[in-house]
Amino acid sequence: MAETPKAAERIALFERMLLVRRFEEEVLRVAQAHAYVGRQHLHIGHEATGAAVASVLGPEDLFHTTHRNHGYLIARGADPGRALAEIMGRKDGLNSGRGGPWHLCDRAAGFQSTSAMVGGSVGLAVGAGFGLKKQGKTAIGVAHFGDGTLDEGICFESFNLASILQLPVLFLCENNAKEGQRPSSMLAARALRDLPAALQIETVVVDGRDADAVRDAAADAVAFIRAGKGPVFLQAQLERWPGSHQTRPEFPTGVTDLTLAWDRDRISGTHADWIRDHDGILLYAAKLVAEKAVSRDDILAVDGRVTSRIQAARAFAEDSPFPDAASAADGVFA
Ligand SMILES: Cc1ncc(C[n+]2csc(CCOP(=O)(O)OP(=O)(O)O)c2C)c(N)n1
Ligand SMILES: [Mg+2]
């Protein structure tokens, strides 16, 4: 088990989580303003997992993500302005406005691709692990995916290959399904981890709301993988954010109010249970303050910084033009 990090590292982790939350809230505002067409898959409620895993990876580690990709891009250092511009289809977007929300990618931040094909990230990360091992590198491949991905055939084949070849791959599974509900009900295995475990892959299950627990579990897993001991399946248990399935963009749990972390009696409304018990951002803020690692003012100062960054990101994205019509065929293979 890793040593308890210093307060400065924990507040940095909190800032990383909050940056993702405020970014996703801005994406919702953009959607409400009809500034992009399509459905958003936000990482709200998954930030403690995403930011904590991102905090233990190095810049050379090759990450592959899914339709629920924004959080990982932002947590690994992609520029929020260019990411938002991409989501809005603008010229200065990370992918010149051609990727959009589902294919948002940033090579410079360690992303090879984003695949909205459920299961795509798993096969791609195994390929990355194979290449990195062949090149004798210490970097690892990472596959982010959800519980619903385990019923795709590519998972079995990828786990099997990674295990047989002892590839340096972290399989990061965000389980946001209620037990017995779709999509994990499509899997005949008793538990998600049974599938990789049957193929001799190390499995770890962690409380995905607890940033400290995820950081420690991810640090141990990454050290194991870098030591050449083979892949690890890290499963983060999460409770789906009530806005996750929405077709009309709204804020079902409100814009995050950090003062609720220490003023819990004010938590109310239809989704009070989720806000109180499952919002990893409020839980981490409450924990840091309770342990006197930081003060309430420190938390609010982080929010001020993060909020200004996101406001600047929105302004940058709004200022960026749409791509020129004449460039429509640029980047097309054939
Ligand atoms: C191959 C494939 N089948 C179906 C879909 C449609 N689809 C998009 S998201 C999704 C559910 C994914 O669930 P999970 O992996 O648990 O991720 P979560 O959205 O819960 O984070 C499905 C079936 C798809 N994108 N790709
Ligand atoms: Mg899921």
Side-chain angles (χ1 to χ4, degrees):
M1 182 59 67
E3 267 176 60
T4 305
K6 296 185 195 65
E9 287 173 45
R10 293 171 90 198
I11 193 97
L13 177 53
F14 177 72
E15 183 154 353
R16 211 187 268 255
M17 291 160 65
L18 189 62
L19 185 67
V20 173
R21 172 66 56 89
R22 294 297 184 212
F23 180 87
E24 295 292 52
E25 289 178 345
E26 201 57 39
V27 173
L28 258 183
R29 288 192 193 95
V30 166
Q32 286 177 333
H34 304 290
Y36 78 80
V37 183
R39 191 174 161 193
Q40 64 286 345
H41 296 96
L42 305 178
H43 211 231
I44 294 180
H46 294 214
E47 298 95 338
T49 291
V53 172
S55 76
V56 304
L57 294 175
E60 307 294 320
D61 296 323
L62 298 179
F63 203 106
H64 302 265
T65 175
T66 68
H67 55 288
R68 205 175 292 293
N69 55 15
H70 314 162
Y72 283 100
L73 268 286
I74 297 302
R76 288 198 79 196
D79 178 69
R82 293 196 61 208
L84 203 54
E86 184 58 42
I87 289 169
M88 293 167 69
R90 305 302 176 97
K91 191 174 175 177
D92 298 305
L94 285 168
N95 314 107
S96 311
R98 281 155 172 80
W102 292 15
H103 298 279
L104 187 63
C105 190
D106 186 2
R107 288 268 164 105
F111 293 83
Q112 293 285 88
S113 67
T114 288
S115 175
M117 293 306 293
V118 169
S121 61
V122 183
L124 291 166
V126 169
F130 182 79
L132 291 166
K133 185 170 177 167
K134 251 187 123 63
Q135 291 167 9
K137 301 227 168 113
T138 53
I140 67 170
V142 185
H144 155 237
F145 51 95
D147 49 280
T149 308
L150 272 284
D151 52 43
E152 295 286 332
I154 194 172
C155 272
F156 172 82
E157 296 193 9
S158 302
F159 293 163
N160 192 46
L161 200 60
S163 179
I164 281 183
L165 300 178
Q166 291 285 283
L167 298 181
V169 181
L170 175 66
F171 295 108
L172 171 61
C173 179
E174 293 180 338
N175 182 14
N176 61 1
K178 289 216 191 316
E179 216 171 315
Q181 267 188 359
R182 263 194 67 83
S184 54
S185 66
M186 295 298 287
L187 186 70
R190 212 166 21 87
L192 299 174
R193 71 190 300 183
D194 287 352
L195 193 58
L199 299 166
Q200 313 304 320
I201 291 180
E202 280 291 319
T203 66
V204 183
V205 179
V206 67
D207 181 348
R209 298 169 299 182
D210 181 343
D212 285 332
V214 178
R215 182 205 52 238
D216 290 349
D220 288 349
V222 169
F224 180 95
I225 299 165
R226 285 202 211 287
K229 296 180 183 169
V232 176
F233 179 87
L234 176 61
Q235 178 181 328
Q237 297 297 114
L238 294 158
E239 179 80 18
R240 190 181 273 281
W241 174 57
S244 187
H245 281 309
Q246 65 191 4
T247 41
R248 268 183 304 123
E250 35 185 70
F251 285 85
T253 50
V255 175
T256 307
D257 174 358
L258 292 176
T259 65
L260 296 179
W262 46 83
D263 208 354
R264 292 164 67 78
D265 291 347
R266 282 180 30 246
I267 298 176
S268 61
T270 320
H271 302 296
D273 286 353
W274 187 89
I275 299 170
R276 186 184 311 106
D277 300 328
H278 299 287
D279 185 342
I281 302 253
L282 292 183
L283 291 171
Y284 202 45
K287 184 177 174 186
L288 292 179
V289 170
E291 292 178 6
K292 300 200 183 333
V294 301
S295 68
R296 294 175 182 187
D297 285 347
D298 292 333
I299 295 284
L300 297 178
V302 170
D303 197 19
R305 270 202 304 280
V306 164
T307 301
S308 314
R309 265 189 87 184
I310 297 300
Q311 282 166 351
R314 174 76 183 265
F316 172 85
E318 296 278 2
D319 282 351
S320 177
F322 287 102
D324 307 325
S327 72
D330 289 0
V332 175
F333 287 115

